[in-house]
Amino acid sequence: MDDGYRNTNLYQGGREANQVADDYRYQDGNRYQDGNYEGYAPNDGYYRGRDEPANEEDAQSDVTEGHDEDDEVYEGEYQGIPHPDDIKEKQKKRAPAMADEYRDRADLMAERMEDEEQLAHQYENIIEECGHGRFQWTLFFVLGLALMADGVEVFVVGFVLPSAEKDMCLSSSNKGMLGLIVYLGMMVGAVMLGGLADKLGRKQCLIISLAINAAFAFLSSFVQGYGFFLFCRLISGLGIGGSLPIVFAYFSEFLSREKRGEHLSWLCMFWMIGGIFASAMAWSIIPHYGWGFSMGTKYHFHSWRVFVLVCSLPCIASLVALKFMPESPRFLLEIGKHDEAWMILKQVHDTNMRAKGEPERVFTVSYIKTPKQVDEFIEIQSSTGTWYQRWLVRITTTFKQVWDNVLYCLTAQYRMNTLMLAVVWFTMALSYYGLIVWFPDMIRYLQEEAYESRVKIFDEEEVSHFTFNFTLENQIHRNGEYRNDKFIGMKFKEVRFEDSLFEECYFEDVTSSETFFENCTIISTVFYNTDLYEHKFINCRLINSTFLKEKEGCHLDFEEDNDFLIYLVSFLGSLSVLPGNIISALLMDKIGRIKMIGGSMLISAVCCFFLFFGNSESAMIGWQCLFCGASIAAWNALDVITVELYPTDKRATAFGILNGLCKFGAILGNSIFASFVGITKVVPILLASSALVGGGLLALRLPETRDQVLM
């Protein structure tokens, strides 16, 4: 097989690179010496090969003096017979390709694995030489914005639901679907775009991911219909879901072993910052329902749409900044692009050295090992196929390679680690995402109970020739009589009229929320420009009554007092993970990833049991903060160990699969836990704590990765 992916444009000295010995030893501070390999060039700043061919022209000048080889004529030349020397030269050129063609694929894979092991150790030393400085910190903030966008996406729908239902008249089932659709998109995006990142590149796929999210998040703020809004949030979730696996794979490949655990944990803080940003923006924008504009009666752009628009800003900022960042050199080396990888590594080195005030320091690496390329990529040339046939072949071949990567994660070498990680990711997501939805729902339920306890009841009241032009809230009117009364420009909120009589009354420009008329008699009454629709009259008798110009859509503009508390709860929940983030970053490389995951999950399980004592709003908020703060260390360690357990050409794929499974756990957790709100606390608490204990104990059986190089 022709080794088509191997870089044939290397400098002269790279021909014998495959003869590198397994044992790399770093000697004299600037040179690898073992076998035939010399990894570093002299400190002259020039990229040069390992062995330069000796100049034999001068040595042979005496022998060839007076002899012109051009004068010689091969006797078979005019008979069309090739010269024997030409035949030998062509055979030499074809020999490597023919050798690969007839070699077993297992042999080629074995050679590639050997190359990858050598590259892993050499790359670790190169990254150490490049140092950790300005370049990594710049990339840290660029990728942090992408991770921040992921954190924002999780909170956006939950914050806009109370207001979106006013504009779209959403039913309970519609609201539930809108809450889950984002996780569904994230699940698909993580698997699909994570797999593509191992074939097309980290930077390119991250740009695609962020562009999809930014475009459809921006569009969703303007669409009016529920179906189109649902579709936009689905595709937006697909885009941002693909960014998470890529971000961690991308950043890890610029970090040395000593820095990896700590700085990946610092990067996780941006997810927390995303939650804080979303909570603060919701708190400051959404309650101002009058913000925005309307175009007739069909198009409304209210404050919650402004909030959706603002929440797309981190994604857009990361997308713009990413244009100025390079591709991962580790990925480029994996696909045989030696020269591009070398130039990027030199850029990293020079950027860091200039920032440290040492611009004279020279990047001493001259040659980097590239693994043997095994994949075949079939290409239809322009002369043998149309453009869509060529694209079809590219797409099908790429997705076949992605699918092969997915299956590779389940081969004997990685099967056990993948299955254990899958269980840990799933149990963590089931409990965490289930509880972070359950906490606000429980707080809202407690608020509703307190609200209902303050209801005012009016019995047998008689009102005539009176004009109501103010808000009636949280009231029950029983056996009342209303004659010749006017209800003009007023609002009903949580009001019920039971067994009452309305005679010759007039309702105009009335807006209502959770307001119903039960077993009432309504005689000669006019309803003009109201939202008192037919379903709000339960078992009522309507005699000579008229409904004129009913309001279209939902026109509620009540500012819910409990909305402020929900924003505060989310804000405090996001802020509470700050201590856990700091602790995990400082201890990640000291106590290891495994102890961090197991310890954090077991402590979180203990926190769940205290929820039995959460019978008030303040208690629920306190236990939520404690749970979030304890569990964040497990999330950070899971991100780090997932990156380190898999090789470069499978890293984003494996992360995407596990993160997709995580989002599936989030969907189940949201559905299961929300169904028990107001019924019982026992099932959610026992389910969450048992999942955390099981996952934490299983995590202790995973291999520790803090001392290994990035394969």
Side-chain angles (χ1 to χ4, degrees):
M1 183 187 305
D2 187 13
D3 197 2
Y5 277 86
R6 182 172 295 277
N7 193 335
T8 58
N9 297 322
L10 301 180
Y11 294 88
Q12 181 68 28
R15 295 180 180 175
E16 299 177 0
N18 290 330
Q19 300 177 6
V20 180
D22 291 340
D23 185 19
Y24 285 81
R25 293 198 297 269
Y26 191 61
Q27 297 182 2
D28 300 331
N30 64 353
R31 185 185 295 265
Y32 284 107
Q33 295 181 350
D34 203 356
N36 297 323
Y37 178 71
E38 294 180 2
Y40 292 87
N43 293 326
D44 55 7
Y46 292 97
Y47 180 86
R48 68 179 67 209
R50 185 172 46 81
D51 294 317
E52 296 187 4
N55 188 355
E56 297 181 357
E57 290 186 4
D58 294 339
Q60 295 178 356
S61 60
D62 295 337
V63 179
T64 60
E65 185 176 359
H67 180 70
D68 190 356
E69 292 182 355
D70 294 338
D71 294 339
E72 287 190 2
V73 179
Y74 168 55
E75 61 182 357
E77 179 178 355
Y78 298 106
Q79 302 175 20
I81 302 173
H83 196 285
D85 293 340
D86 295 337
I87 296 175
K88 292 179 181 179
E89 187 66 27
K90 290 180 180 179
Q91 288 176 344
K92 288 180 181 179
K93 291 180 179 179
R94 287 200 301 264
M98 293 175 64
D100 283 352
E101 183 177 355
Y102 292 103
R103 286 174 62 186
D104 185 77
R105 183 177 176 85
D107 294 338
L108 295 175
M109 290 300 297
E111 182 178 343
R112 178 180 173 84
M113 291 180 66
E114 181 181 350
D115 291 346
E116 287 177 344
E117 185 175 352
Q118 295 171 4
L119 170 61
H121 289 85
Q122 184 190 6
Y123 190 81
E124 178 66 29
N125 286 283
I126 293 173
I127 289 295
E128 288 181 0
E129 180 182 342
C130 291
H132 188 94
R134 176 180 293 172
F135 181 89
Q136 281 86 355
W137 284 112
T138 303
L139 184 63
F140 173 81
F141 286 105
V142 172
L143 298 181
L145 287 172
L147 198 58
M148 179 179 170
D150 180 84
V152 169
E153 191 74 17
V154 172
F155 290 94
V156 166
V157 172
F159 288 149
V160 303
L161 270 180
S163 300
E165 68 173 320
K166 301 174 185 178
D167 280 357
M168 301 181 182
C169 297
L170 301 181
S171 63
S172 297
S173 60
N174 286 342
K175 288 191 292 184
M177 177 57 70
L178 191 56
L180 296 178
I181 200 69
V182 174
Y183 289 110
L184 181 62
M186 287 181 170
M187 180 178 70
V188 175
V191 177
M192 185 174 69
L193 291 169
L196 287 175
D198 282 331
K199 291 301 173 185
L200 305 181
R202 300 355 182 173
K203 177 183 175 180
Q204 181 178 350
C205 284
L206 186 55
I207 288 176
I208 294 172
S209 173
L210 295 175
I212 291 173
N213 174 253
F216 282 89
F218 182 84
L219 185 62
S220 69
S221 67
F222 292 95
V223 299
Q224 295 293 301
Y226 167 73
F228 201 9
F229 183 78
L230 194 71
F231 173 76
C232 288
R233 298 316 301 183
L234 172 67
I235 305 302
S236 173
L238 185 147
I240 203 62
S243 67
L244 192 65
I246 304 173
V247 162
F248 284 99
Y250 192 7
F251 192 50
S252 67
E253 290 163 2
F254 285 94
L255 299 173
S256 64
R257 176 172 47 195
E258 295 178 353
K259 302 286 186 181
R260 193 181 308 127
E262 177 184 351
H263 287 269
L264 286 176
S265 298
W266 289 127
L267 184 66
C268 293
M269 290 185 64
F270 280 93
W271 198 92
M272 172 203 72
I273 296 173
I276 294 174
F277 175 80
S279 303
M281 291 299 101
W283 200 346
S284 58
I285 295 175
I286 294 179
H288 301 282
Y289 193 71
W291 287 12
F293 59 91
S294 296
M295 298 174 64
T297 59
K298 299 292 184 181
Y299 190 89
H300 304 279
F301 193 91
H302 293 303
S303 58
W304 69 269
R305 297 181 182 276
V306 178
F307 166 71
V308 173
L309 204 59
V310 170
C311 285
S312 65
L313 294 180
C315 181
I316 296 173
S318 177
L319 183 61
V320 173
L322 196 61
K323 286 286 188 179
F324 301 96
M325 304 309 297
E327 179 58 87
S328 163
R330 187 67 173 84
F331 168 78
L332 293 174
L333 290 170
E334 201 69 26
I335 62 175
K337 295 186 177 181
H338 174 280
D339 294 351
E340 293 180 37
W342 186 88
M343 291 298 294
I344 293 171
L345 288 169
K346 185 177 186 302
Q347 175 190 347
V348 175
H349 174 275
D350 293 346
T351 301
N352 290 340
M353 292 306 110
R354 284 195 299 269
K356 293 178 180 179
E358 302 177 6
E360 70 281 358
R361 289 278 294 272
V362 177
F363 185 53
T364 59
V365 178
S366 62
Y367 181 80
I368 310 172
K369 182 71 175 178
T370 55
K372 187 171 188 61
Q373 304 303 308
V374 178
D375 288 337
E376 278 189 86
F377 193 91
I378 302 172
E379 178 73 38
I380 297 181
Q381 301 299 327
S382 57
S383 59
T384 61
T386 59
W387 66 269
Y388 63 84
Q389 287 177 318
R390 295 194 298 275
W391 274 103
L392 181 62
V393 169
R394 289 192 187 102
I395 293 171
T396 54
T397 305
T398 301
F399 275 94
K400 180 182 180 299
Q401 293 172 340
V402 171
W403 178 246
D404 290 341
N405 270 3
V406 172
L407 297 179
Y408 186 85
C409 295
L410 297 175
T411 56
Q413 183 179 2
Y414 296 101
R415 184 184 301 122
M416 189 55 64
N417 289 340
T418 300
L419 293 177
M420 287 194 294
L421 272 176
V423 173
V424 176
W425 273 93
F426 180 81
T427 55
M428 190 68 195
L430 180 72
S431 56
Y432 180 82
Y433 286 102
L435 285 177
I436 66 169
V437 169
W438 184 75
F439 281 124
D441 286 349
M442 278 298 298
I443 292 172
R444 191 176 288 111
Y445 173 74
L446 293 173
Q447 288 176 330
E448 290 174 356
E449 279 192 329
Y451 184 78
E452 292 174 0
S453 68
R454 298 192 299 268
V455 65
K456 297 178 181 178
I457 300 176
F458 300 86
D459 286 320
E460 300 181 353
E461 62 178 354
E462 296 182 7
V463 182
S464 61
H465 298 90
F466 184 80
T467 300
F468 293 85
N469 56 4
F470 46 87
T471 298
L472 298 181
E473 179 179 356
N474 197 21
Q475 298 177 2
I476 298 177
H477 298 261
R478 294 171 178 162
N479 302 308
E481 294 183 5
Y482 305 89
R483 291 182 172 89
N484 295 302
D485 294 323
K486 294 182 179 180
F487 300 81
I488 299 176
M490 65 171 301
K491 300 177 177 66
F492 292 111
K493 182 179 180 183
E494 301 279 351
V495 179
R496 302 179 75 89
F497 294 94
E498 300 176 357
D499 303 302
S500 298
L501 171 66
F502 293 85
E503 185 175 357
E504 296 185 357
C505 294
Y506 181 74
F507 291 79
E508 180 181 349
D509 195 21
V510 174
T511 304
S512 62
S513 169
E514 298 297 326
T515 296
F516 299 95
F517 297 79
E518 296 184 13
N519 302 315
C520 295
T521 300
I522 303 175
I523 303 172
S524 302
T525 297
V526 176
F527 297 87
Y528 179 81
N529 192 30
T530 72
D531 63 356
L532 298 174
Y533 307 122
E534 183 178 352
H535 72 274
K536 296 189 176 183
F537 296 90
I538 304 172
N539 297 325
C540 293
R541 291 194 306 152
L542 298 170
I543 302 172
N544 295 328
S545 296
T546 306
F547 290 84
L548 300 173
K549 194 183 177 182
E550 289 185 345
K551 288 182 179 290
E552 296 181 0
C554 297
H555 296 268
L556 303 183
D557 59 357
F558 297 120
E559 291 188 3
E560 301 287 346
D561 294 334
N562 61 354
D563 287 348
F564 291 98
L565 185 58
I566 298 302
Y567 303 147
L568 178 62
V569 169
S570 300
F571 179 84
L572 293 177
S574 300
L575 190 62
S576 65
V577 304
L578 179 60
N581 264 315
I582 295 174
I583 293 173
S584 65
L586 297 177
L587 299 181
M588 187 69 70
D589 291 319
K590 292 182 172 60
I591 68 175
R593 289 72 162 128
I594 305 307
K595 293 179 181 178
M596 185 73 71
I597 297 173
S600 175
M601 293 183 74
L602 293 176
I603 294 173
S604 300
V606 174
C607 293
C608 287
F609 283 103
F610 289 107
L611 295 176
F612 281 113
F613 306 102
N615 297 318
S616 65
E617 295 175 18
S618 57
M620 293 298 295
I621 294 173
W623 295 128
Q624 178 193 9
C625 294
L626 183 62
F627 173 79
C628 292
S631 61
I632 192 62
W635 281 119
N636 295 354
L638 265 178
D639 293 333
V640 175
I641 196 173
T642 303
V643 162
E644 295 176 334
L645 273 178
Y646 295 92
T648 300
D649 59 339
K650 310 292 187 298
R651 182 170 297 123
T653 301
F655 203 119
I657 295 170
L658 295 169
N659 194 253
L661 186 64
C662 164
K663 295 305 184 287
F664 178 69
I667 293 173
L668 284 183
N670 286 353
S671 303
I672 295 173
F673 284 55
S675 63
F676 288 99
V677 173
I679 300 175
T680 179
K681 293 193 298 185
V682 175
V683 175
I685 292 173
L686 289 181
L687 180 60
S689 57
S690 58
L692 288 168
V693 170
L697 293 176
L698 184 63
L700 297 176
R701 298 181 60 84
L702 287 166
E704 181 57 68
T705 58
R706 60 175 167 170
D707 294 326
Q708 75 177 40
V709 296
L710 208 60
M711 294 300 295

